[in-house]
Amino acid sequence: MRVALLCDIGHSVYHVGNEATAIASAAQLRKRGHEVVMISHDERPEAVDPAAAATTEIIPALNFPTSLDQRDGYLTDIRKVLAGNAVALPSSDQLFALMGQLRDVDALVLGGGTLDNDHGPQLFERLATALVAAQLDVPVIMGAHSLGPSLLLTDRALLRELLTLCAPVGVRDDDSLHLAAELCPDHQGIVRVPDDALSLDVDWDQPKESRIAVSVDGAPDPYPEADFVAVLASLLDELAERTGASIELIPHAADPDRPRADVRLHQLIADQLHHKATLRRIEPADDAAARLAGSAWVVTTRMHPALFGLASGSAVLPLVLTRTNRSHLAGALGAWARRTPPCPSPPCGIRPTAPCATMWSRPPSMRRCRGAHLSPIMPRASAPVY
C-alpha cells in the first residue's frame, strides 16, 4: 500500500517529539511493507526523514492562518471546494495540489500529536486533510494523539468531525480516551495506544551515565519565569549535590538558528545554578532521545522526555505546570504502569534557598520514580492502528 503520513513537522522550531513521531511512524509503516509519502511543512526530504532521504516523497502540508477567524474562513472555503464550488479558492491555492497528490495514495495516517487550543492550526490542518481524503474515498487512520483538555466549543465540534472521519482512532492518555468517547459515543474504533515515538530506533537498555537530564518547556506558564527558574535551579543544585551527578539541559523544542524557546530558558536556569551544567543545542530526535535514555535521572515538564526516560528505566521526575501537561505526563506515567501522580509545582512566588525545603528537592520524590522501568501496559513496539 501507498500510505500518506501527516505529522506536525517541518517548522522553523524543531520539536523532538514531533520529529521522533514522524521518523518512528514512517519506519513502522515501511517495516510492514508500505510505501510512505510524507506530508510536511518542509519539502526537503533530508529534513523530513534523514534515514530515507533518497527515497522519501514529500507532499506539502496545508498551511492554516494563525488567526482563528482566518482559519475558520479558510476551512469554510475548503468545504465549498469539496462540495463542488471549485472557484471558492484561487486555482493556485495549496488545496488543489494536495487533492491531486492524495489521489495517488491508498490510506492517510495522521501521526501522533496534540489537538487542543494551543495547537489550533494542527486541528484545522488535520481535519482539512482528512476531509480531502474522505472526498477521495481514502481511509483515514489516526495514530496516538492527545485530545484537549483545553478546547473551545467550536474546536470540540471540529474534533468530533475529525474523529468520525477516522476508522481507528488512537489516543495516548486516559483523558483523551474519555474525551473521544464523550464526543463520539458510538465510535467503535477508539483505542488507547502507545505513543508512536516509543518505536524510535534507540537502545533503551543502554548503560546509564551519572547525569541529570533536564528538559523544560521554554514558556513556564502560568508561573512567573523568574520564580520558575529560581525554584528549578535550586532543585537541580540539590539533586546534583545529593547524587554527585552532572547536569545537562537538553532542549526539546528550539530553533537551530536562534537561541529561543527551550534553549533560552535553559540558559537562564544554567545562569542560576551553583553546579556546572552542560547546555545542549537542539539535536536530531534520535540523538536527543538516546541522550535522555542514557541519563540516570530525567527532570522534565514535557511528555516525550518523560516517556524516553521511563522506556529506558531512568528515574523520572515529571513537573506539572498546567492542566494540559498534567494530562500528558499522567498519560506517560500510565503507559508504564506508574500510578504516582506527577509532582505539582510549588506555589507561585516562592524562591527557596538551597537546600530546598519543598518536596521538589527531597530525595524520596526522586526515589519514588526509580521503579519506573516496569512492563508497559501496552506493547512498546507499535500502535495497533497501523
Side-chain angles (χ1 to χ4, degrees), residues 70-94:
Q70 291 179 336
R71 288 202 302 262
D72 283 335
Y74 186 41
L75 181 60
T76 297
D77 290 339
I78 288 175
R79 293 184 191 277
K80 291 178 181 177
V81 171
L82 296 178
N85 182 5
V87 297
L89 287 170
S91 60
S92 59
D93 190 86
Q94 58 185 343

Side-chain angles (χ1 to χ4, degrees), residues 242-263:
R242 299 196 181 200
T243 63
S246 62
I247 300 173
E248 283 195 19
L249 294 119
I250 303 170
H252 195 71
D255 188 333
D257 301 317
R258 288 194 290 166
R260 56 175 177 162
D262 294 10
V263 171

Side-chain angles (χ1 to χ4, degrees), residues 29-193:
L29 288 166
R30 292 189 184 106
K31 185 177 179 180
R32 288 159 171 74
H34 303 306
E35 178 186 353
V36 179
V37 182
M38 302 295 292
I39 303 179
S40 169
H41 293 275
D42 190 329
E43 299 177 42
R44 298 172 301 155
E46 66 275 12
V48 173
D49 192 353
T55 58
T56 298
E57 181 181 341
I58 307 296
I59 295 177
L62 292 175
N63 285 298
F64 270 81
T66 55
S67 163
L68 181 57
D69 289 341
Q70 291 179 336
R71 288 202 302 262
D72 283 335
Y74 186 41
L75 181 60
T76 297
D77 290 339
I78 288 175
R79 293 184 191 277
K80 291 178 181 177
V81 171
L82 296 178
N85 182 5
V87 297
L89 287 170
S91 60
S92 59
D93 190 86
Q94 58 185 343
L95 174 69
F96 296 103
L98 177 71
M99 292 173 66
Q101 290 171 296
L102 285 185
R103 284 192 177 94
D104 296 328
V105 304
D106 301 300
L108 169 66
V109 172
L110 306 180
T114 299
L115 301 177
D116 64 4
N117 289 345
D118 295 331
H119 302 79
Q122 188 176 144
L123 174 57
F124 280 74
E125 171 191 322
R126 287 167 191 249
L127 174 57
T129 306
L131 286 170
V132 171
Q135 178 84 1
L136 300 171
D137 292 324
V138 173
V140 184
I141 298 162
M142 179 180 283
H145 276 71
S146 295
L147 311 179
S150 176
L151 284 168
L152 300 172
L153 288 177
T154 51
D155 288 343
R156 287 173 64 92
L158 296 178
L159 179 57
R160 179 186 295 108
E161 184 179 7
L162 176 58
L163 296 180
T164 60
L165 292 172
C166 301
V169 172
V171 294
R172 59 192 180 190
D173 58 73
D174 288 340
D175 288 346
S176 298
L177 185 64
H178 296 154
L179 177 58
E182 175 188 335
L183 292 175
C184 299
D186 297 325
H187 200 306
Q188 299 300 309
I190 300 171
V191 291
R192 171 80 185 271
V193 296

Side-chain angles (χ1 to χ4, degrees), residues 195-211:
D195 188 89
D196 300 334
L198 282 176
S199 60
L200 197 65
D201 186 16
V202 169
D203 181 7
W204 303 111
D205 298 319
Q206 63 183 284
K208 293 285 181 287
E209 295 187 25
S210 182
R211 176 173 62 224

